[in-house]
Amino acid sequence: MNGLQELLCLTPFRILVRIAMVGKYTGLSDSYLSVLKALLHASVYCHRKLVVDWVASTDLEDSTKIEAPDAYKAAWNLLKSADGILVPGGFGDRGVQGKILAAKYARENNVPYLGICLGMQMAVVEFARHVMNLPHANSTEFDPNAKTPCVIFMPEGSKTHMGGTMRLGSRRTFFKVADCKSAKLYGNADYVDERHRHRYEVNPDMVPEFENAGLKFVGKDESDRRMEIIEIPNHQYFIGAQFHPEFKSRPAKPSPLFVGLIAASSGQLDKVLQGCSNGHVIPGKHQFSNGPYTPAAHQNTNGHAKKLANGVANGTYYPNGNGVHA
């Protein structure tokens, strides 16, 4: 047993934090293993027991309401019962409308949200459609002839050769807004190096329109043309990253953006940001309590709280206190 495992076994994390993981591969949880581990690292940092509710993004869509109403109702109950929402990366158009709906719910209801890669892009599309009143906004990945292409194929990419055409590996992101949440979580750094894996990006020609409407691009690459981090300033925690922060998360060094999500989802974000502003870089010194915090009410498909043997309702329970899953 290593030092971290010993610490976890001695620390009684009594309060749950529920995160809705909205994706298209939820039937095989290993598809999101890196994301799951990053959530666990962050929940340990915040002294919370992690419960992940797997939500198939297709089940949130209107077509499922007609074809499988029970699945539709169950998916929305899970989403609405979550303390925070995470939309990870992915490829292909299946389930993207459900991801857009998840981002919309989080934005409109002030629920902590973290979108990664495609999850960021779909948050941008959602904002364009429902805040900027651009109903035809889309990614050219899903509609090559989109009337409002707010996510586009990277100019330097090849549309005829799939191999070796992705923007991969560690790339530098420069913070453009000093007092944004993401910059604070990274210890008020001027820039960060994070790993990438994508072919599509936010259309830089639309950035002024987005920012005038309230969506801020707080992180960009060295050219100022590639958007790396989005935030909605008046939302308690609504962040999207074009990169994959989960790839660099470690048990003793959790990803700052994942820490932000868990902290916001458990009522601790102000304390975390204050600590970062005082010069503490995650995972520096922090003071978290095991209570009191009242999480969102959790319901099953009948509208009533459902308790399992371990006291956890409707989710995959990760015992990061006793029985280490990190």
Side-chain angles (χ1 to χ4, degrees):
M1 183 177 292
N2 62 34
L4 178 63
Q5 290 173 323
E6 291 177 354
L7 173 63
L8 297 182
C9 289
L10 291 173
T11 306
F13 300 147
R14 298 188 297 271
I15 300 179
L16 305 179
V17 59
R18 303 187 72 99
I19 301 297
M21 181 95 79
V22 182
K24 60 190 291 186
Y25 313 117
T26 55
L28 181 62
S29 62
D30 278 3
S31 299
Y32 301 112
L33 187 60
S34 296
V35 177
L36 185 58
K37 293 294 185 180
L39 283 171
L40 187 60
H41 302 160
S43 67
V44 170
Y45 180 87
C46 293
H47 291 197
R48 291 295 182 267
K49 286 187 181 295
L50 174 66
V51 178
V52 174
D53 287 323
W54 300 95
V55 180
S57 55
T58 51
D59 287 350
L60 298 172
E61 298 175 354
D62 291 341
S63 58
T64 302
K65 184 177 183 179
I66 299 172
E67 299 167 1
D70 288 344
Y72 176 86
K73 184 177 180 181
W76 275 103
N77 278 344
L78 285 178
L79 190 75
K80 292 179 179 180
S81 297
D83 300 312
I85 296 171
L86 192 153
V87 178
F91 296 92
D93 61 358
R94 182 173 67 86
V96 296
Q97 296 305 317
K99 295 180 180 182
I100 290 172
L101 289 169
K104 181 175 185 286
Y105 176 81
R107 179 183 58 79
E108 292 182 340
N109 293 277
N110 202 33
V111 176
Y113 177 91
L114 177 60
I116 299 172
C117 198
L118 182 60
M120 166 186 155
Q121 295 172 2
M122 293 302 95
V124 170
V125 171
E126 188 282 319
F127 194 90
R129 289 182 182 180
H130 302 114
V131 177
M132 299 167 64
N133 297 315
L134 299 172
H136 301 293
N138 211 338
S139 167
T140 58
E141 180 180 1
F142 313 126
D143 181 3
N145 300 311
K147 294 180 180 179
T148 310
C150 52
V151 177
I152 61 173
F153 195 81
M154 292 187 302
E156 69 271 29
S158 170
K159 294 185 178 181
T160 58
H161 297 84
M162 295 299 288
T165 61
M166 300 183 74
R167 183 170 178 252
L168 293 170
S170 181
R171 308 284 178 137
R172 184 156 291 181
T173 294
F174 293 88
F175 290 108
K176 300 299 179 178
V177 180
D179 62 346
C180 65
K181 295 182 181 71
S182 52
K184 290 179 180 178
L185 287 167
Y186 279 99
N188 296 307
D190 295 326
Y191 61 84
V192 293
D193 295 317
E194 292 281 10
R195 292 166 61 183
H196 294 69
R197 190 174 185 268
H198 66 108
R199 290 190 180 92
Y200 290 81
E201 64 182 6
V202 174
N203 184 349
D205 294 334
M206 290 190 65
V207 167
E209 296 177 61
F210 279 112
E211 296 211 310
N212 288 337
L215 183 66
K216 302 302 181 183
F217 294 88
V218 301
K220 302 179 183 181
D221 77 341
E222 67 280 357
S223 72
D224 270 353
R225 293 279 295 172
R226 182 157 284 144
M227 305 302 114
E228 294 281 5
I229 306 175
I230 64 168
E231 288 190 20
I232 298 178
N234 59 1
H235 191 285
Q236 70 161 317
Y237 192 83
F238 195 102
I239 291 179
Q242 182 59 71
F243 51 79
H244 288 264
E246 70 274 19
F247 289 164
K248 294 179 71 172
S249 181
R250 299 293 184 269
K253 190 177 180 181
S255 163
L257 296 187
F258 278 83
V259 168
L261 175 66
I262 297 297
S265 301
S266 57
Q268 303 182 86
L269 183 60
D270 288 343
K271 185 179 293 185
V272 169
L273 294 178
Q274 182 179 2
C276 293
S277 297
N278 290 335
H280 297 149
V281 180
I282 294 171
K285 297 178 181 179
H286 56 278
Q287 296 293 328
F288 293 117
S289 68
N290 290 322
Y293 171 67
T294 303
H298 308 305
Q299 299 177 333
N300 63 11
T301 55
N302 296 319
H304 302 293
K306 179 182 178 182
K307 291 288 185 179
L308 304 182
N310 58 8
V312 179
N314 303 328
T316 304
Y317 174 54
Y318 295 95
N320 51 355
N322 300 315
V324 182
H325 191 76

